[in-house]
């Protein structure tokens, strides 16, 4: 046999051996993939459902707790405070600091405070304290404030004048109760934007229900 022929036979043998190894490797890879697929299916079937572990149903509103009084602030415990940026309304979950011209606030006798996106939310809270703050009662409320629409300053909610039925829409884009420290300013607003001037004693549950367009939710403290 010539040298050339020997080289050809060696190349042919090596080529066949390589093909055999490739086929063996392919069978091993296919078997491994099949086993991995079976393990993945078993894992998916046996793992706990995500919705059963601490998931919050869609019909529950999660709220932040009230803001504690800071003695180092230098202000009286029951005085109106600046709205913290991270404070959330306990009624609707919005951030009152984003619409300060509508904001309201409530202070408990121990100094804890809640901030609201609007006078409407404040009065909804006052009419159902235990619903929005389980463990609290109306008797613990020491002070309430609303923002004077004319000046942007805080004014006691019980002494304010409110315009009901105007074209002014609050942060939730529904009918609202813009507040005024001065009755004359409230009357001028009503002349320009419609509605009637009301005092705190006029804000009944029926009036609030008519203004409240939110879906019904269960509330949970966070």
């Amino acid at each position: 046999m010539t040298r050339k022929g020997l080289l050809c036979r060696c190349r042919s043998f090596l080529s066949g051996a390589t093909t055999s190894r490739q086929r063996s490797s392919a069978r091993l890879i296919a078997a491994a993939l099949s086993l991995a697929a079976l393990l993945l299916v078993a894992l998916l079937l046996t793992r706990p459902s995500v919705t059963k572990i601490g998931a919050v149903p869609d019909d529950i509103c999660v709220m932040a707790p009230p803001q504690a009084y800071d003695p180092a602030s230098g202000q009286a415990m029951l005085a109106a405070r600046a709205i913290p940026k991270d404070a959330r309304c306990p009624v609707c979950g919005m951030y009152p600091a984003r619409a300060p011209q509508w904001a309201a606030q409530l202070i408990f006798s121990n100094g804890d405070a809640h901030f609201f996106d609007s006078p409407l939310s404040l009065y909804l809270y006052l009419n159902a304290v235990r619903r929005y703050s389980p463990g609290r009662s109306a008797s613990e409320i020491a002070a309430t404030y609303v923002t004077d629409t004319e000046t942007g300053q805080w004014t006691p909610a019980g002494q304010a004048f409110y315009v009901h039925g105007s074209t002014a829409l609050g942060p939730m884009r529904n009918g609202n109760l813009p507040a005024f420290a001065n009755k004359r300013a409230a009357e001028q607003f009503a002349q320009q934007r419609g509605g009637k001037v009301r005092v705190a004693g006029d804000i009944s549950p029926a009036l609030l229900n008519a203004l409240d367009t939110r879906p019904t939710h269960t509330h949970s403290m966070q």
Side-chain angles (χ1 to χ4, degrees):
M1 180 180 294
T2 65
R3 181 178 178 181
K4 183 177 180 181
L6 179 62
L7 288 174
C8 289
R9 292 190 63 181
C10 288
R11 289 172 182 170
S12 177
F13 174 78
L14 290 174
S15 176
T18 301
T19 301
S20 177
R21 286 197 300 271
Q22 288 176 341
R23 291 175 179 173
S24 178
S25 297
R27 285 194 294 270
L28 289 174
I29 292 172
L33 289 175
S34 297
L35 179 60
L38 290 174
L39 290 174
L40 179 60
V41 172
L43 179 62
L44 291 174
L45 292 176
T46 59
R47 71 174 183 173
S49 173
V50 173
T51 57
K52 295 181 181 180
I53 304 179
V56 179
D58 292 337
D59 60 347
I60 293 182
C61 293
V62 180
M63 303 173 299
Q67 304 283 324
Y69 170 64
D70 180 11
S73 65
Q75 67 178 148
M77 186 169 68
L78 300 183
R81 309 170 192 173
I83 309 169
K85 290 183 178 180
D86 62 342
R88 297 186 68 175
C89 174
V91 173
C92 67
M94 295 182 71
Y95 292 90
R98 297 178 182 177
Q101 71 275 18
W102 283 96
Q105 64 177 280
L106 171 155
I107 304 174
F108 291 103
S109 55
N110 70 345
D112 287 351
H114 268 311
F115 296 86
F116 303 84
D117 68 304
S118 67
L120 172 59
S121 290
L122 168 64
Y123 279 96
L124 287 170
Y125 182 94
L126 292 174
N127 276 267
V129 176
R130 294 185 184 278
R131 174 188 175 190
Y132 297 110
S133 292
R136 298 274 193 179
S137 67
S139 62
E140 299 176 61
I141 299 172
T144 54
Y145 299 93
V146 290
T147 302
D148 179 7
T149 301
E150 182 181 33
T151 66
Q153 301 299 310
W154 293 111
T155 189
Q159 301 173 21
F161 299 90
Y162 303 89
V163 178
H164 170 233
S166 75
T167 58
L169 299 179
M172 295 179 66
R173 310 308 300 166
N174 59 354
N176 223 301
L177 296 168
F180 298 83
N182 181 278
K183 183 178 181 180
R184 180 58 185 159
E187 291 173 340
Q188 290 178 341
F189 184 90
Q191 290 174 0
Q192 297 172 358
R193 305 291 298 273
K196 295 182 179 179
V197 177
R198 308 277 190 174
V199 296
D202 297 329
I203 303 178
S204 65
L207 183 151
L208 293 172
N209 289 336
L211 291 175
D212 185 13
T213 59
R214 299 167 303 138
T216 301
H217 292 299
T218 300
H219 289 75
S220 173
M221 295 299 291
Q222 177 177 319

